Amino acid sequence: MEPFLGFLLGLILAVASSAQNNCSCATNKWMVCTQDGSGNCSCTLVGSNHRVDCSTLTSKCLLMKAEMTPLKEKCFWGHPHGLLDSDGIYNPDCEDSGIFKARQCNQAGTCWCVNTAGVRRTEKGDKSLSCGELVRTSWIYIKLRHKKRSSAFSVPDVANALKHLFESQYKLHPKYITAIKYDSPLIQIHLNQENSEKSRCDVDIADIAYYFEKDIKDDSIFHSNSTLTVSVNGDALDIEKIRIYCVVEKPPEFCMKQLAAGISAVVTVVTPTAGFGITVLVILRWLRTRKYEKVEITEMGEIRAASLQ
């Protein structure tokens, strides 16, 4: 009887240990997950202690905040390579829902306005800067370049492979993929998500673009942390370059100070140069005219001398 009880206890512990190990966030590696006595798994984001729904993608704002967390605080949940790719990354302020606050400020008190993709859309100012509503990023253009190969892929095959990737990996509804263009080795992906069309359960295209860029740069946010592989009829689509462009519903509000300064500098340089050129032309024209006058006077003098004789 005792051996049976020991076996049963070991089985229970094994099941409990397995359940504890399965308490993780599949869509975000920067999470701390715990399991309560009822077996429910809850996950909070490193750096903000924000509870996150692991059934979908984490917002870009919360991801950027996690990336700004010191390495020593998150070395147990991810690898340090994520900190190296910090171009354009800042420590953002996020709403409770996870989206960016319209106004972002740094520790020095410098503030600026951003769109839903976290991209600056105004000049920088002080804390008196007012941003109003958060302007939505409705269009995203993704430009890719794959490695050279002996023959180009079929256009429909590339489109189908990428559509399947965005639908399965990032849970994007196919209606938001408006175009995929391919002219070897260049690929263009157009994502369109108007505010009126997006429902609360739809994944935001700005978040998808951030996840996709991280996957392409071999710095996946997913818990598996595996390298992204895109296959086109069994052949790997090796992407070596990516560029992402955001189009917002309202134009940026950059002032003309920098442009005016540039124009002023150009005018300062061009005006003296143009003046010098005009002066040279006037002098040359005057010399040429004077020469012609001397010739005419000489000819008239010869004529007069001949008539006097």
Side-chain angles (χ1 to χ4, degrees):
M1 185 68 178
E2 291 182 359
F4 176 75
L5 291 176
F7 171 77
L8 183 60
L9 179 60
L11 180 62
I12 293 174
L13 291 176
V15 172
S17 177
S18 176
Q20 183 70 25
N21 291 334
N22 289 333
C23 182
S24 61
C25 187
T27 58
N28 192 340
K29 66 184 178 183
W30 303 124
M31 304 292 288
V32 179
C33 299
T34 57
Q35 194 172 37
D36 58 22
S38 303
N40 297 321
C41 181
S42 61
C43 299
T44 57
L45 189 69
V46 173
S48 64
N49 294 324
H50 193 287
R51 294 193 64 176
V52 174
D53 180 8
C54 293
S55 64
T56 185
L57 303 187
T58 306
S59 69
K60 180 181 177 180
C61 186
L62 293 177
L63 290 175
M64 288 175 59
K65 182 171 286 293
E67 288 178 334
M68 293 301 295
T69 304
L71 177 61
K72 63 181 181 180
E73 296 184 19
K74 62 180 183 179
C75 60
F76 297 102
W77 302 285
H79 57 83
H81 178 68
L83 292 180
L84 300 179
D85 184 18
S86 59
D87 183 28
I89 299 297
Y90 58 92
N91 193 358
D93 293 325
C94 308
E95 300 285 0
D96 293 338
S97 60
I99 64 174
F100 288 92
K101 289 186 177 181
R103 191 187 72 170
Q104 299 291 325
C105 299
N106 59 22
Q107 294 181 349
T110 302
C111 303
W112 61 94
C113 303
V114 300
N115 55 31
T116 54
V119 179
R120 183 166 66 93
R121 58 180 305 272
T122 65
E123 297 290 348
K124 293 183 178 180
D126 55 25
K127 289 188 176 181
S128 63
L129 178 67
S130 178
C131 295
E133 64 176 344
L134 182 67
V135 179
R136 175 159 184 76
T137 302
S138 55
W139 286 80
I140 286 184
Y141 298 96
I142 303 175
K143 291 186 177 182
L144 308 172
R145 178 192 294 271
H146 66 69
K147 294 182 179 179
K148 293 183 179 179
R149 46 183 286 118
S150 57
S151 60
F153 292 105
S154 167
V155 176
D157 290 341
V158 171
N160 291 333
L162 290 173
K163 284 181 180 179
H164 176 73
L165 172 69
F166 277 85
E167 293 175 26
S168 60
Q169 180 88 339
Y170 308 109
K171 311 303 180 184
L172 179 64
H173 195 286
K175 68 180 180 180
Y176 298 130
I177 306 174
T178 56
I180 296 180
K181 301 178 181 180
Y182 175 56
D183 183 12
S184 180
L186 302 177
I187 304 172
Q188 293 185 28
I189 304 172
H190 297 181
L191 305 180
N192 180 16
Q193 191 175 57
E194 300 292 343
N195 194 30
S196 58
E197 297 178 356
K198 182 182 180 298
S199 64
R200 296 185 61 181
C201 60
D202 288 332
V203 182
D204 196 283
I205 57 175
D207 301 336
I208 290 176
Y210 196 67
Y211 267 81
F212 183 57
E213 182 179 17
K214 290 288 187 179
D215 282 337
I216 295 299
K217 293 182 177 180
D218 197 19
D219 186 23
S220 178
I221 299 171
F222 290 100
H223 183 75
S224 61
N225 202 29
S226 58
T227 302
L228 177 68
T229 55
V230 183
S231 178
V232 180
N233 286 340
D235 294 333
L237 182 65
D238 294 324
I239 301 172
E240 61 180 0
K241 187 176 181 180
I242 179 172
R243 297 291 298 272
I244 297 177
Y245 302 89
C246 301
V247 179
V248 295
E249 294 178 346
K250 293 183 179 180
E253 298 176 1
F254 292 103
C255 65
M256 301 297 290
K257 291 182 180 179
Q258 295 179 351
L259 180 60
I263 294 175
S264 177
V266 171
V267 170
T268 303
V269 174
V270 170
T271 301
T273 304
F276 176 76
I278 293 173
T279 302
V280 171
L281 290 176
V282 170
I283 293 174
L284 291 175
R285 181 178 179 84
W286 177 75
L287 291 174
R288 186 181 303 174
T289 305
R290 184 181 180 187
K291 182 178 179 180
Y292 289 157
E293 289 176 352
K294 287 183 178 180
V295 172
E296 291 176 358
I297 292 173
T298 302
E299 291 177 351
M300 290 296 293
E302 292 178 353
I303 295 172
R304 289 179 179 179
S307 61
L308 289 174
Q309 294 177 353

